[in-house]
Amino acid sequence: MSVEPTNPSVAANAADAGPSVDFVGRASVVDDGALISDGAWAIVNMPSETTKLVQLNKDSKVMMGKFGSFQTSLLMGLPFDLPYEADGQGVVTPAPEGFKLDELDIETEEGANNKNLVDKSDSQRLTQAEIEALKEKARIGDLEGVGVIKALTENSETWKEKTEFAKAKYIKRKQKKYSRVFTPVRPTARLLCEHFNRENPRRILEIRGDTLSQILTAANVRAGGRYLLVDEAGGLLTCALAERMQGWGTIMMLHEHPASNHDMIKYLNLPSTVPDVMRTLSWNRIEPHTDEDIENTEMKNADPERSQRYQARIKKIKDSREYLKAGGFDALIIVSLFDVKEIIEMLSPYLAGSAPIVAYSQYKEALTDAWQHMRTAREFVNSQLTESWLREYQVTGGMHPTMRMSGTGGYLVSGIKVFEVESHASTRPRAPGKGQGKGRRKRDDGDDGGEHRGADKAMKMDE
Amino acid sequence: MADAATVSRFGQFGTRSKHIAAGDCVIAYSGPQNMTFITVKAGAVFANSYGRYPHDSIIGVEWGSKHPSATGRGFIHLLWPTPELWTLSLPHRTQILYTPDISFITSFLDLRPGVKMIEAGTGSGSFSHAIARTIAPTGHLYTFEYNADRYEKALVEFQEHGLTELVTLEHRDVCSDGFEQRDLVDAVFLDLPSPWEALEAAKQTFKKHKTGKICCFSPCVEQVLRTTAELQKQGFVEIKMFEVLVRSYDSRKTEVRPLPTRADEEQRRHDIGNKKRKEREAAASSSASDAANPAKKVATEDGSVKVELAEEKVDEAAAAPASVNVSQPQEVRTVREFTGLKPPREATGHTSYLTFATLLPQIYRGSDGEKINDESA
């Protein structure tokens, strides 16, 4: 923890005077992170279009399943994101051109179409045994992956009649089987999000990349900010914030169990020169507990070493609590399975005036109460409920939307914390009963329209 | 305070204080569609349809306060400016980028503190502010605008917002004149009518030893086709194209009614009969009497609403003009109320196509330490 433990008065000052962070004297890590170093994590794009999250150590081997394995030592000092080809013997070399498609004849005769195509199994002149032999040669490195595909296309009777699009599709399919080109990519929060969405979506509560990006903008995440965070997406949010802060500012994280889980941050390969921005506090420690007074616990008579460890732990808890209670946070970000409305009620007092609040859920029903609360309570403005929508297109080899798309990116509820009481700076008299009250606020919210007034009344009835 | 502004290099937007001071940029918020960006000056007055707000009354007030107008009849909320709120309060000079697009591009271009970046054109400076927020304090934005008027306006704004250390604005047509930057940036964003004309020049600006990311922002499919063809020609890889939108929701307290039963129908006919009879009686006696109350909704403890079929207070025997028998036990049926969430009837359907591509490192070392690829050598 690089941030010095703060006493409440200092923290309060900090909240008033803006973040007291030193922006000078630390070089950017943008360039340093571009090369693979010992112990760096990488998201490896496999030929099969899957991804693997691996740590690249100086003396280890990465297994690529049927694609063989490679020595990671050979990657040290080379750039991330470049395609590399494994030769089947463990040696890798940069393959900036990727898969050498130029060697394949994908030129198409004019008017090629599937008019005369007959669906039969004997259009391939190579026998199964011959294909197996080629595959074996490719596996041990005697033949490049592209060689197998070349042989297949040259011996296909229907190849000439295929359209350019059909050929591209065929090659792409075969590439997954025979290519040994892989790409170790420098992990970013966006790529981690994509990776876990593919491999284990529940771990990150199915947050999609576009939704994650909207959370960061809605909360105005930046270097030097101080954020309240509830992250039950396996640490993905912590990662995303840390990436946008690069050591400047503070993440105050509330968590359930005695220890927080933000292990995912290690995948970002942040160099040790980047200060830790994390402070954590368990929900059960927001209010003091009797065990914090050592006289009340059996630690009283424990041996000095244990007792010291215990006291250090308690001190950390107390520091975090004081830091939280000093308030003045720049935003509240909630990705949680707990009741969002309850979280907002509990934590919004610690927000600075005008601080944004943003909460995510896969289910809009889980956000409805929180949204209604923000719409009707007068300490929030500009609240909205949105769903993320994303459509990807295939652009090369015929432009069209991709055949399969993600069904939903989930829901966000957002708003801005304001003060309900009118500012004290004005001493002018006010007309009684004007400029106040829910009806008034609704009118001022302009586009909220009349129908919501009815909704508000109904809400009150429910209460 | 001034010191904090210098070190964050994000000027007004990066300087968080508890209270509003003279010179601060403030968002005067009256509603989601009604925000105005003001710079607080002693003696000035902000006025909107809800009232007049002398700036002097704003100075010293806590951010986020609800602030009364001079007469006390109206109020505004005083919000701290973020690039997003600033965008919403902006007098539009060009088609601006909206927040979902800005968010997605920021993420896809891997923007973070320290990133050096090119933007063309600057337009209203909407995205420039969002970029500056994310790359501060150690990054840098080079932004280019070919329209003289827009250039002047953006220049003044960057100065007013204290962004000059972080942002370099140049009046330049990058399609015809290219860029002077070489081997310098991590990312390029092109929001131009014909981005393909600037791609060859843009390629030269990227750092050679690391991965570069580019995004072209175009509303039309034809533009995307030409852009992707040129991206491929220039050796960019991983060409991807997206459309991104958010769908907002409205909420409405609404209800579902139970299917009608025979009893309902008979009750209705009975009620109509009663009503007509009462009207006749009322007309006859010329005295005002209450219309029949067909059914009343009664809130119950569990929050649902029961529709109690009205108990007629009129003497049944005397009132039986119809042949139906309504003296059977009345069944109580429940209307289920719920908060309905639905997208508005009309919504933004398209902003622009976002075309992304990657430029791979052009210089790197082989495993034996030798430079094995250097285009410039």
Side-chain angles (χ1 to χ4, degrees):
Chain A
M1 187 72 66
S2 69
V3 188
E4 290 302 312
T6 335
N7 70 45
S9 62
V10 172
N13 278 345
D16 203 2
S20 57
V21 280
D22 176 21
F23 284 124
V24 197
R26 189 148 62 74
S28 143
V29 297
V30 170
D31 291 342
D32 299 344
L35 301 181
I36 297 168
S37 58
D38 187 18
W41 287 89
I43 293 173
V44 181
N45 289 342
M46 309 293 270
S48 55
E49 292 186 342
T50 56
T51 50
K52 268 178 123 170
L53 192 52
V54 293
Q55 192 172 20
L56 304 173
N57 290 312
K58 219 184 304 186
D59 42 11
S60 63
K61 241 184 185 185
V62 170
M63 306 303 292
M64 296 170 63
K66 63 177 173 175
F67 308 105
S69 64
F70 64 88
Q71 304 280 352
T72 49
S73 59
L74 297 166
L75 290 172
M76 297 300 139
L78 284 168
F80 273 111
D81 309 338
L82 202 64
Y84 295 88
E85 182 152 26
D87 72 347
Q89 313 287 335
V91 178
V92 289
T93 43
E97 304 300 324
F99 202 66
K100 292 169 190 140
L101 294 174
D102 297 353
E103 291 181 21
L104 298 168
D105 156 42
I106 52 168
E107 288 296 302
T108 298
E109 285 168 30
E110 199 154 334
N113 58 38
N114 62 4
K115 186 174 165 187
N116 300 317
L117 185 71
V118 180
D119 190 8
K120 52 181 181 156
S121 53
D122 60 347
S123 60
Q124 179 56 253
R125 284 188 295 261
L126 293 178
T127 64
Q128 198 54 41
E130 284 169 323
I131 295 172
E132 286 305 322
L134 283 170
K135 277 161 79 174
E136 178 57 19
K137 270 174 88 179
R139 198 186 61 76
I140 59 166
D142 277 1
L143 180 68
E144 285 180 308
V146 71
V148 182
I149 303 175
K150 203 175 167 193
L152 287 171
T153 59
E154 282 169 358
N155 289 289
S156 161
E157 283 176 10
T158 51
W159 182 252
K160 272 202 167 71
E161 289 159 37
K162 284 185 195 286
T163 65
E164 201 179 316
F165 299 142
K167 285 181 178 179
K169 214 166 145 186
Y170 178 86
I171 290 167
K172 208 172 170 196
R173 210 167 59 229
K174 295 295 166 190
Q175 210 173 318
K176 282 191 203 171
K177 279 172 99 170
Y178 302 114
S179 166
R180 281 192 312 259
V181 177
F182 66 95
T183 312
V185 183
R186 185 181 62 81
T188 62
R190 171 178 66 88
L191 294 171
L192 288 168
C193 182
E194 278 179 19
H195 170 77
F196 286 110
N197 255 316
R198 239 184 330 256
E199 305 298 323
N200 189 1
R202 298 183 74 116
R203 178 167 169 192
I204 57 164
L205 304 183
E206 302 174 295
I207 301 181
R208 207 171 57 191
D210 54 326
T211 310
L212 180 64
S213 77
Q214 282 164 28
I215 294 173
L216 299 175
T217 351
N220 194 28
V221 173
R222 62 194 178 89
R226 297 164 68 247
Y227 304 102
L228 277 175
L229 173 66
V230 185
D231 177 6
E232 286 165 40
L236 180 66
L237 267 291
T238 318
C239 250
L241 264 69
E243 184 174 67
R244 292 282 174 93
M245 294 164 76
Q246 295 289 325
W248 288 292
T250 310
I251 299 171
M252 176 78 233
M253 181 167 161
L254 278 300
H255 57 87
E256 179 177 13
H257 301 294
S260 68
N261 171 19
H262 52 275
D263 189 50
M264 212 184 267
I265 207 167
K266 70 184 177 199
Y267 300 135
L268 289 181
N269 300 330
L270 290 173
S272 53
T273 50
V274 171
D276 184 0
V277 293
M278 296 300 297
R279 272 171 181 273
T280 61
L281 186 67
S282 157
W283 290 108
N284 299 327
R285 293 285 179 180
I286 292 182
E287 297 310 324
H289 192 267
T290 48
D291 68 356
E292 291 175 20
D293 182 2
I294 195 159
E295 298 301 320
N296 279 337
T297 67
E298 73 263 27
M299 284 295 163
K300 191 173 151 187
N301 303 316
D303 66 86
E305 202 184 317
R306 266 188 78 199
S307 158
Q308 255 175 19
R309 265 207 314 272
Y310 183 78
Q311 290 195 43
R313 199 168 71 82
I314 294 299
K315 184 178 183 314
K316 211 177 150 192
I317 290 169
K318 284 181 171 171
D319 286 346
S320 285
R321 180 190 303 130
E322 279 171 6
Y323 191 79
L324 170 71
K325 298 228 162 165
F329 288 91
D330 289 325
L332 168 60
I333 298 151
I334 304 164
V335 176
S336 172
L337 299 173
F338 291 123
D339 184 332
V340 174
K341 182 184 165 199
E342 210 180 321
I343 295 176
I344 291 174
E345 281 172 335
M346 184 176 281
L347 295 182
S348 65
Y350 305 122
L351 288 173
S354 196
I357 296 166
V358 55
Y360 164 85
S361 175
Q362 299 108 300
Y363 308 105
K364 61 177 177 295
E365 289 77 4
L367 299 174
T368 316
D369 283 352
W371 188 37
Q372 288 294 355
H373 174 61
M374 286 173 91
R375 284 155 52 89
T376 47
R378 274 175 286 161
E379 56 264 38
F380 307 101
V381 293
N382 206 28
S383 63
Q384 47 189 322
L385 176 70
T386 57
E387 179 182 5
S388 316
W389 187 93
L390 180 71
R391 170 161 241 162
E392 182 169 5
Y393 285 74
Q394 172 182 308
V395 276
T396 50
M399 194 176 107
H400 59 73
T402 51
M403 294 297 182
R404 295 196 63 79
M405 68 187 279
S406 151
T408 177
Y411 301 86
L412 294 177
V413 65
S414 60
I416 297 172
K417 183 229 167 112
V418 293
F419 295 109
E420 189 186 339
V421 214
E422 294 194 351
S423 57
H424 48 77
S426 171
T427 52
R428 291 172 190 83
R430 282 195 301 277
K434 298 260 174 113
Q436 297 174 24
K438 293 191 179 194
R440 174 79 193 178
R441 192 181 97 82
K442 284 301 140 194
R443 200 197 90 191
D444 281 357
D445 264 3
D447 67 343
D448 265 11
E451 63 186 61
H452 294 136
R453 250 173 270 167
D456 289 343
K457 273 188 213 143
M459 282 292 293
K460 269 180 261 165
M461 201 169 80
D462 282 351
E463 288 155 16
Chain B
M1 285 312 305
D3 291 346
T6 354
V7 287
S8 82
R9 294 195 176 85
F10 189 39
Q12 282 292 326
F13 293 50
T15 312
R16 193 78 153 101
S17 57
K18 194 167 182 182
H19 299 104
I20 297 168
D24 280 352
C25 304
V26 178
I27 304 283
Y29 177 96
S30 299
Q33 310 293 325
N34 193 348
M35 299 183 216
T36 315
F37 186 81
I38 55 177
T39 305
V40 179
K41 287 186 208 86
V45 174
F46 164 68
N48 69 6
S49 47
Y50 301 109
R52 286 164 46 81
Y53 305 85
H55 286 201
D56 289 334
S57 71
I58 291 171
I59 295 169
V61 167
E62 190 167 353
W63 287 106
S65 293
K66 181 175 176 182
H67 192 68
S69 68
T71 60
R73 265 190 229 124
F75 65 84
I76 49 174
H77 280 101
L78 302 169
L79 302 186
W80 190 56
T82 65
E84 285 66 40
L85 289 181
W86 183 68
T87 294
L88 292 171
S89 69
L90 202 65
H92 294 184
R93 292 190 288 273
T94 55
Q95 175 68 39
I96 57 156
L97 268 76
Y98 289 94
T99 303
D101 286 323
I102 285 178
S103 309
F104 195 70
I105 298 165
T106 302
S107 164
F108 227 92
L109 293 181
D110 294 340
L111 302 191
R112 58 196 191 282
V115 160
K116 292 188 173 63
M117 169 160 183
I118 279 175
E119 178 196 32
T122 313
S124 307
S126 161
F127 191 30
S128 317
H129 280 70
I131 294 170
R133 178 247 328 268
T134 306
I135 65 174
T138 46
H140 200 88
L141 171 66
Y142 303 87
T143 181
F144 302 90
E145 176 56 53
Y146 66 0
N147 177 288
D149 184 48
R150 287 201 292 266
Y151 162 76
E152 294 293 342
K153 282 187 173 137
L155 194 63
V156 171
E157 264 163 10
F158 293 155
Q159 276 162 1
E160 281 180 359
H161 302 168
L163 299 179
T164 44
E165 269 190 88
L166 201 63
V167 180
T168 305
L169 171 65
E170 203 178 307
H171 181 211
R172 189 183 185 96
D173 182 348
V174 299
C175 288
S176 57
D177 305 334
F179 303 91
E180 276 168 15
Q181 288 73 13
R182 290 284 177 281
D183 191 10
L184 186 72
V185 305
D186 306 282
V188 171
F189 173 71
L190 300 179
D191 177 7
L192 300 167
S194 43
W196 54 89
E197 290 174 0
L199 285 178
E200 191 176 356
K203 190 184 171 186
Q204 308 302 317
T205 66
F206 281 102
K207 285 174 184 167
K208 290 194 186 303
H209 70 282
K210 70 177 285 292
T211 314
K213 298 271 181 190
I214 191 166
C215 174
C216 299
F217 183 84
S218 305
C220 301
V221 169
E222 291 82 355
Q223 291 168 303
V224 177
L225 290 171
R226 294 188 69 169
T227 303
T228 46
E230 185 64 20
L231 281 168
Q232 283 180 300
K233 191 179 154 201
Q234 294 299 330
F236 287 87
V237 296
E238 291 270 313
I239 302 170
K240 285 174 179 286
M241 199 266 270
F242 299 90
E243 266 185 289
V244 55
L245 292 170
V246 294
R247 177 195 247 180
S248 64
Y249 278 81
D250 287 341
S251 93
R252 186 184 298 188
K253 212 61 170 184
T254 182
E255 61 185 36
V256 281
R257 299 191 301 148
L259 272 176
T261 61
R262 187 166 193 107
D264 288 339
E265 178 60 20
E266 287 169 354
Q267 182 66 44
R268 197 178 67 84
R269 278 163 54 193
H270 174 67
D271 290 345
I272 291 170
N274 270 343
K275 197 179 166 198
K276 283 190 177 153
R277 181 169 51 79
K278 277 194 176 172
E279 277 167 6
R280 278 198 307 272
E281 283 169 7
S285 66
S286 295
S287 69
S289 73
D290 286 345
N293 181 11
K296 52 184 175 182
K297 285 187 180 182
V298 177
T300 56
E301 280 172 15
D302 65 351
S304 67
V305 174
K306 285 178 186 161
V307 178
E308 289 182 359
L309 298 181
E311 294 275 339
E312 271 304 327
K313 301 297 177 202
V314 189
D315 176 31
E316 288 289 334
S323 59
V324 291
N325 181 1
V326 292
S327 59
Q328 282 171 1
Q330 299 294 322
E331 135 189 46
V332 175
R333 313 189 64 230
T334 304
V335 170
R336 185 167 62 83
E337 284 207 345
F338 67 99
T339 303
L341 294 173
K342 69 171 190 62
R345 278 169 53 78
E346 221 172 275
T348 307
H350 177 65
T351 55
S352 270
Y353 295 111
L354 313 179
T355 310
F356 295 96
T358 301
L359 189 63
L360 293 177
Q362 296 158 70
I363 305 174
Y364 47 86
R365 301 165 76 82
S367 41
D368 55 357
E370 293 293 306
K371 272 189 182 175
I372 58 169
N373 177 48
D374 183 350
E375 278 187 359
S376 61

